[in-house]
Amino acid sequence: MRRLIIRRLLQTIPMIFFVSLVCFALVKAAPGDPVKTFLPPNIHQADIERIRHNLGLDQPAYVQYAKWLKESLSGNLGYSLVNHMPVTKQILDRLPATAGLMGAAIALAVLLAIPLGLAAGSNRNKWVDKLVNLFAYIGISVPLFWLAILFVYFFSIKMHWLPSLGMHTIGKKGAIDVIKHGILPCSVLAISFLSSYVRYIRSGTISQLKEDYVQIQYAFGSGKRTILFRHVMKHVLLPIITLLGMSMGELVTGAIVTETVFSWPGIGSLGMTAVRGLDYPVILGITLFSSLLLIIGNLLADILYGFADPRIKTTR
Amino acid sequence: MRRRKGLVGVIVLLTLTLLLSACGNNNNGSNNTGDSSSGNAPANNDSQNAADGQPKDGGSLIIAVGADPVVLNPNYAGDRVSLTIDQALYAPLFQVDNGKKTFYLADSLELSADKLTYTLKLKDGLTWHDGEKLTADDVVFTIDKILDEKQNSFLRGNFIINGKPIQAVKVDDLTVEFKLPQVAPAFEATLVQVSPIPKHIFENEADIEKSTKNAAPVGSGAFKFKEYKTGEYVTLDRFDNYFGGKPHLDSITYRIAKDTNAANLALQNGEINVKYLDPQDVSTIQATNNFDIQPYSEGRLSYLLFNENSDRGALAKKEVRQALSYALNREELITTAYVSGDYADPAKSILASDNLYFDNDVPSFDNDAAKAKEMLQAAGASNLKLRFITSSGNKAQEAIALYVQQKLKEVGVTVEINALDASAYGTKFSDLKATDFELAAGGYIMGYDPDAYSILYTTGGDANYFHYSNKEVDALFQQGAAEGDATKRGEIYKKLQELAAEDAPVYPIAYTKTIVAIDKKYGGLDQAILKPVVIFEDPSKLYVK
């Protein structure tokens, strides 16, 4: 097991390098000039040239990349081309907002998806199943920004229950205030995650219920509920571990649409601004962070898999 | 079992009604103007009864901004959000509205007899927000840093006249002399853009733009920095020692709201008090009866660009450009792009309407399709095929492109529209070597002095995206830049506007307006002066009614 972990961690090094290279190349290949995106258009050509030179943007792309790589290896991800703040600080400033929102939304979605999916799968084609399916289809097909605006309109404007934007009331601090602001974006995200999780769990339950061990349990006289929760659930949750591992990357990149509509100060909206401004240090920083988390998440998922399903451990 | 089925039906019905009614309500909010109760914010009503005569002290204001400020330092601020916040945080030396000067930090600005030296006197007893004295040293320091090549200030080019820098010299604590290398009346318009930065804070910083001290800026404006929550808001508090008198409001918060639809809802909900509006959203907001809707000129010309340098060579002839102009109808185009004539005034001159020597009484080619056809034929340019680039997602540009495509079809010209991603568009548009398009829709805000327009319209100018070249116009720009006498200068620019209009390097569409919605509970808008880009010139004058 330990060797596995070490090997996987070592594998991440070339992977991260490759990711950063591809990402840098893509940004550089995009048409547009970062300097021109943040300077007002009516300025003198000499000023543009001077600023481009000061930022090192007049050097060939490989030199820029090498410079960036050197800096990154020393732990500093460089400075934004646009606002000149350190990239690491900008990401860390926004990490709690995104991780908190995504974490809460994913947790909420999983907690609701398990009972709903089990109920739907074990009552196949009955009314519970149809209802859960209906909601899942609605959740998958409704555009998030529309749902978000609908929520704001109903819960903020009509009912005055919850604030419509931001993470804090101006000048206020404290967890309760943040939670109040987080309820709407979290629910919107949870609905979208929930819908896909439910469908996984439902189909997992259906296929597991056909397995021999279920029939044997019935033969032993176990109740339906016992079989479902004690035996079937264990198997059904396995793919969810993979799903969760894969969504670790999203913990960082966040949900751009939801963050934008609710003006949630997360990494998604930071990334959006960076992409528009071709601000490559910030783009690379965010990509690195999220790929690192994605890789770690997948590793964790594999390890957990080993514990949850002994069959896998022996085949390695 | 049967009972269960009934239950399913009930639940499904209930959910559907809930969903449908939610949609229905949403539509009501945006279309139906009568539903006034929906827009009322609960907290805002009690102040409505207060007497609206004398300004009261206290209260706060929330202004919506579309993004995080890039840098809260006026030497580097180029984006709308930073400029807006800096306007409250850092006082300017003086401002100009309709040719009239209002002095802020400055007490007076005098020009010497030879017109080569401006003497700036500061007000007495000015202080920075941290209590330090604001003196001539700060002004000189600011100008020096703008001129410093290692600092990234893009204002630098304006302080260089014919290759020579302007010199700022301290005379005494309250007096600075600016020595110009040659007569340059446009210098005042350059100085308007300067808000001094504190020497005692930035003196030892190697790279001021990257300085961590920008995170807690010390300014001299009516409001001082309190808090910046990245991605959320910037809050400024009243500065009691403000030279213009203690501001009425306790604080101003700039709330970052990225999504326009959501921000409009927050405006109706009272979570935002001041916000820019798109023309198509005006009726919704107006219907709530809670807002002053103010359209005001932003000193911007919106125009259709003719790229004379295109590889198809089609637009190099002035007659062809005039003919294309004849094919269009300015009024229709304005309604198409800006919803109503209320939000844009018809443009004929290349100078924007806020300009010192603005003259809209110039030749214009408009709305005569028959003449257009005739001229195209005479110029031997029938069956033209033109490429129109737009920035995808920009509603005004897309509307203009479609309109132009339609109208030019009527005179036998084919227009192919190429929608580009915003940054690709920006790069292509401003690439002086680009030859693969003929038409584009653009706009510029150049300030009140006509000399600024020389980079747009002189041969080989840095921003001459039209590749316009007329020796006479070049000469007039040079004369105008160095002419100290206002009357003579006026004549020069009048002639210039006429010449340029005749040559039709662009088809001027409109002088567009900014629309802002301001919650009715705030007063003092007239004294605060609505201003392009920054919204309020002097926010210290705003108060809660």
Side-chain angles (χ1 to χ4, degrees), chain A:
Chain A
M1 191 55 126
R2 186 177 295 157
R3 271 189 49 210
L4 171 81
I5 295 174
I6 291 171
R7 208 175 66 214
R8 290 286 295 269
L9 284 176
L10 284 177
Q11 277 172 358
T12 60
I13 294 170
M15 220 188 279
I16 293 271
F17 173 75
F18 188 67
V19 165
S20 79
L21 193 64
V22 169
C23 188
F24 183 83
L26 282 175
V27 176
K28 283 291 159 189
D33 177 347
V35 172
K36 279 184 180 159
T37 62
F38 69 82
L39 287 182
N42 55 348
I43 74 166
H44 297 262
Q45 196 62 33
D47 287 331
I48 297 180
E49 298 299 336
R50 181 173 52 88
I51 290 168
R52 190 179 286 144
H53 172 75
N54 287 354
L55 292 174
L57 289 170
D58 52 348
Q59 288 162 326
Y62 67 88
V63 177
Q64 292 180 45
Y65 179 73
K67 218 177 110 194
W68 176 84
L69 193 66
K70 208 178 128 199
E71 240 184 318
S72 301
L73 287 177
S74 66
N76 173 11
L77 289 173
Y79 294 87
S80 155
L81 293 177
V82 177
N83 65 14
H84 309 284
M85 300 231 297
V87 172
T88 323
K89 182 184 178 314
Q90 288 193 69
I91 292 178
L92 290 180
D93 274 355
R94 286 173 180 250
L95 192 61
T98 289
L101 179 65
M102 297 301 287
I106 290 173
L108 187 65
V110 169
L111 285 182
L112 288 174
I114 292 172
L116 285 177
L118 284 174
S122 58
N123 294 296
R124 198 178 171 191
N125 290 334
K126 294 192 186 135
W127 67 268
V128 186
D129 186 30
K130 283 179 178 159
L131 193 65
V132 169
N133 261 330
L134 178 73
F135 270 107
Y137 281 130
I138 291 177
I140 289 171
S141 43
V142 156
L144 271 192
F145 72 91
W146 182 80
L147 193 67
I149 290 279
L150 204 68
F151 270 38
V152 170
Y153 184 74
F154 194 74
F155 294 105
S156 300
I157 312 292
K158 281 286 182 203
M159 311 306 290
H160 297 302
W161 285 344
L162 295 164
S164 71
L165 82 172
M167 195 168 93
H168 293 91
T169 310
I170 293 159
K172 255 196 196 170
K173 290 191 175 69
I176 294 180
D177 191 47
V178 173
I179 290 171
K180 249 170 101 176
H181 281 82
I183 292 176
L184 286 184
C186 181
S187 324
V188 169
L189 279 175
I191 287 176
S192 86
F193 290 135
L194 173 65
S195 310
S196 54
Y197 290 170
V198 159
R199 310 237 347 117
Y200 272 101
I201 295 176
R202 176 183 173 272
S203 55
T205 311
I206 290 172
S207 63
Q208 287 298 325
L209 283 176
K210 288 181 191 146
E211 295 282 327
D212 292 343
Y213 72 87
V214 174
Q215 300 305 321
I216 290 167
Q217 289 294 332
Y218 271 124
F220 284 163
S222 306
K224 195 178 169 189
R225 187 159 297 183
T226 325
I227 298 175
L228 207 56
F229 283 98
R230 193 171 294 162
H231 303 285
V232 173
M233 191 166 94
K234 233 167 142 186
H235 293 274
V236 165
L237 288 187
L238 282 177
I240 295 294
I241 294 176
T242 319
L243 270 183
L244 284 180
M246 304 244 283
S247 54
M248 284 295 278
E250 280 177 55
L251 271 180
V252 175
T253 53
I256 291 172
V257 173
T258 314
E259 284 187 3
T260 306
V261 174
F262 289 99
S263 296
W264 190 261
I267 292 177
S269 54
L270 180 73
M272 190 75 179
T273 318
V275 169
R276 282 213 185 116
L278 299 174
D279 190 352
Y280 74 82
V282 177
I283 301 175
L284 286 179
I286 293 175
T287 317
L288 283 197
F289 249 77
S290 58
S291 25
L292 200 64
L293 265 183
L294 182 67
I295 291 167
I296 292 175
N298 275 334
L299 179 61
L300 278 180
D302 285 355
I303 295 168
L304 280 178
Y305 233 102
F307 283 113
D309 191 346
R311 285 172 303 181
I312 288 172
K313 217 191 287 186
T314 51
T315 54
R316 280 229 173 95

Side-chain angles (χ1 to χ4, degrees), chain B residues 458-474:
Chain B
T458 50
T459 307
D462 282 345
N464 188 343
Y465 310 127
F466 336 107
H467 302 277
Y468 173 58
S469 172
N470 181 332
K471 294 266 147 49
E472 253 181 291
V473 170
D474 294 352

Side-chain angles (χ1 to χ4, degrees), chain A residues 32 50 54 127 164 167-168, chain B residues 8 151-153 232 271 427:
Chain A
R50 181 173 52 88
N54 287 354
W127 67 268
S164 71
M167 195 168 93
H168 293 91
Chain B
V8 179
Q151 307 290 337
N152 288 337
S153 178
E232 285 197 88
E271 289 173 81
T427 305

Side-chain angles (χ1 to χ4, degrees), chain B residues 179-453:
Chain B
K179 295 194 194 301
L180 314 186
Q182 66 172 66
V183 177
F187 177 66
E188 277 192 18
T190 297
L191 214 49
V192 161
Q193 300 175 47
V194 173
S195 296
I197 57 171
K199 185 182 179 188
H200 67 279
I201 301 280
F202 291 112
E203 208 166 8
N204 298 318
E205 297 290 306
D207 187 344
I208 295 180
E209 190 172 30
K210 277 188 190 168
S211 166
T212 50
K213 289 174 174 156
N214 290 322
V218 174
S220 55
F223 291 85
K224 60 181 189 228
F225 180 80
K226 186 186 177 208
E227 187 183 24
Y228 172 26
K229 278 211 175 296
T230 171
E232 285 197 88
Y233 60 81
V234 178
T235 298
L236 310 181
D237 273 350
R238 193 185 66 210
F239 176 47
D240 289 346
N241 286 335
Y242 181 56
F243 54 84
K246 196 175 98 171
H248 298 303
L249 294 169
D250 286 339
S251 70
I252 297 184
T253 298
Y254 300 86
R255 182 126 217 178
I256 297 151
K258 298 204 165 171
D259 183 85
T260 314
N261 293 322
N264 281 337
L265 289 177
L267 180 73
Q268 295 174 47
N269 203 26
E271 289 173 81
I272 289 171
N273 310 122
V274 173
K275 185 187 170 293
Y276 287 116
L277 291 184
D278 290 332
Q280 56 270 23
D281 295 328
V282 169
S283 58
T284 318
I285 301 297
Q286 202 145 36
T288 64
N289 251 331
N290 288 330
F291 298 95
D292 262 338
I293 312 270
Q294 301 261 6
Y296 61 96
S297 165
E298 56 184 354
R300 173 175 178 269
L301 171 72
S302 138
Y303 60 88
L304 177 67
L305 171 145
F306 298 129
N307 184 1
E308 294 179 30
N309 197 33
S310 97
D311 50 12
R312 293 188 184 166
L315 302 181
K317 273 190 205 158
K318 150 172 123 179
E319 290 75 21
V320 175
R321 301 195 300 267
Q322 288 173 350
L324 295 179
S325 306
Y326 269 127
L328 307 173
N329 177 332
R330 195 167 276 115
E331 306 285 331
E332 274 176 20
L333 187 45
I334 288 175
T335 329
T336 312
Y338 304 104
V339 178
S340 140
D342 293 347
Y343 310 128
D345 295 325
K348 290 171 183 163
S349 169
I350 56 160
L351 300 188
S353 52
D354 66 335
N355 203 276
L356 279 181
Y357 303 108
F358 166 66
D359 178 10
N360 214 16
D361 189 17
V362 294
S364 96
F365 316 96
D366 190 32
N367 198 21
D368 191 340
K371 184 123 191 207
K373 272 189 203 161
E374 202 178 290
M375 286 180 79
L376 282 174
Q377 220 147 42
S382 37
N383 288 328
L384 274 184
K385 284 194 173 56
L386 305 177
R387 291 157 293 186
F388 195 133
I389 57 164
T390 63
S391 167
S392 64
N394 183 322
K395 284 183 199 158
Q397 281 189 16
E398 281 167 357
I400 292 171
L402 286 171
Y403 174 83
V404 168
Q405 185 180 45
Q406 192 64 33
K407 285 302 251 195
L408 292 189
K409 200 173 164 190
E410 289 169 21
V411 297
V413 175
T414 318
V415 174
E416 171 199 338
I417 300 175
N418 291 330
L420 303 169
D421 143 77
S423 61
Y425 169 83
T427 305
K428 187 176 281 303
F429 184 92
S430 60
D431 178 2
L432 293 171
K433 294 189 196 87
T435 57
D436 55 353
F437 70 97
E438 283 78 30
L439 303 172
Y444 49 64
I445 300 180
M446 303 303 289
Y448 70 89
D449 194 281
D451 184 44
Y453 287 73

